[in-house]
């Protein structure tokens, strides 16, 4: 277990972004907080704002400010502490969980993308092709022609309407005759 530290010699002045505060024994901590933990550094963003600025009513939620990634990294000969090992395992677990979520999102997006680009394109192209086949000039009369069975039904219905109209006229004449003869 070699530890990894930042390369180069960052300035260690209280105003700089690389300034590392000291822990209880007076040692500078590598993560920018008095507790010496990277989790505390990540989730607190290095410096903790005053409590009144943490969340203002009606304002946006607090943003986590992460430090700039050092340009180079190198291994050290110091063994990792139990806390650092635990923090590394937690970070590794969080990254693996994140990649599982990203993988599932991509798996879910594949059918949607296929549907959007392939199926919708085929649907539109097929509709255009069918409409162009349907409206050919030389086939319009054939398509507009009434089917034989429909023509037969229509003529039967027309004859039935004519017969029923004549029957109604006869019934009205009989009614009028009976009404006229009873009045005399």
């Amino acid at each position: 277990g070699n530890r990894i530290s930042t390369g180069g010699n960052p300035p260690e002045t209280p105003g700089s972004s690389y300034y590392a505060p000291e822990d209880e024994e007076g040692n500078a901590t590598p993560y920018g907080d008095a507790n010496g933990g990277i989790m505390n550094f990540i989730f607190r963003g290095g410096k903790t704002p005053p409590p009144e600025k943490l969340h203002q009513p009606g304002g946006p939620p607090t943003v986590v400010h992460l430090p700039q990634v050092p340009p180079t990294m190198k291994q050290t000969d110091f063994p990792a502490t139990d806390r650092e090992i635990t923090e590394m395992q937690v970070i590794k677990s969080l990254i693996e969980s994140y990649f599982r979520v990203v993988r599932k999102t991509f798996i879910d997006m594949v059918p949607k993308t296929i549907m959007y680009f392939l199926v919708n394109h085929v649907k539109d192209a097929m509709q255009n092709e069918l409409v162009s086949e349907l409206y050919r000039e030389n086939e319009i009369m054939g398509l507009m022609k009434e089917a034989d069975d429909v023509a037969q039904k229509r003529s039967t219905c027309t004859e039935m309407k004519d017969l029923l109209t004549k029957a109604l006229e006869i019934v009205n004449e009989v009614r009028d005759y009976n009404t006229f003869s009873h009045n005399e």
Side-chain angles (χ1 to χ4, degrees):
N2 292 332
R3 288 178 56 192
I4 296 177
S5 68
T6 60
N9 296 321
E12 295 194 9
T13 59
S16 73
S17 60
Y18 289 100
Y19 175 69
E22 297 178 350
D23 61 9
E24 292 84 24
E25 289 108 25
N27 300 321
T29 60
Y31 302 117
D33 67 342
N35 296 329
I38 193 165
M39 299 301 278
N40 204 12
F41 179 70
I42 289 173
F43 292 111
R44 286 184 36 207
K47 299 176 183 175
T48 306
E52 62 273 1
K53 290 189 177 183
L54 279 177
H55 182 70
Q56 298 173 353
T62 304
V63 177
V64 176
H65 297 284
L66 298 176
Q68 177 106 12
V69 177
T72 59
M73 304 286 276
K74 66 179 183 177
Q75 294 183 349
T76 65
D77 295 330
F78 300 112
T81 65
D82 290 339
R83 180 177 178 165
E84 290 172 336
I85 291 171
T86 304
E87 289 174 351
M88 284 187 285
Q89 290 171 346
V90 168
I91 291 171
K92 181 180 177 184
S93 172
L94 289 171
I95 291 172
E96 287 171 351
S97 297
Y98 173 76
F99 278 110
R100 278 194 299 274
V101 169
V102 169
R103 181 175 181 266
K104 183 175 181 341
T105 302
F106 272 95
I107 288 171
D108 290 345
M109 285 174 55
V110 167
K112 293 176 185 176
T113 306
I114 290 171
M115 183 71 173
Y116 181 77
F117 286 109
L118 181 65
V119 175
N120 286 340
H121 176 70
V122 168
K123 179 191 73 164
D124 294 339
M126 186 180 296
Q127 181 177 0
N128 291 338
E129 184 67 26
L130 290 174
V131 167
S132 66
E133 286 289 320
L134 186 65
Y135 291 116
R136 285 189 192 164
E137 289 291 327
N138 57 354
E139 292 186 17
I140 289 181
M141 292 309 292
L143 292 171
M144 299 294 286
K145 182 182 174 199
E146 190 173 42
D148 292 337
D149 62 329
V150 174
Q152 180 64 34
K153 287 180 183 177
R154 185 177 50 78
S155 65
T156 304
C157 288
T158 304
E159 289 175 15
M160 183 63 73
K161 178 186 163 265
D162 292 340
L163 289 174
L164 290 173
T165 303
K166 288 180 184 178
L168 182 61
E169 289 174 5
I170 293 171
V171 168
N172 285 337
E173 285 178 14
V174 169
R175 186 190 57 180
D176 291 342
Y177 178 74
N178 285 339
T179 305
F180 182 70
S181 65
H182 285 313
N183 287 342
E184 292 181 9

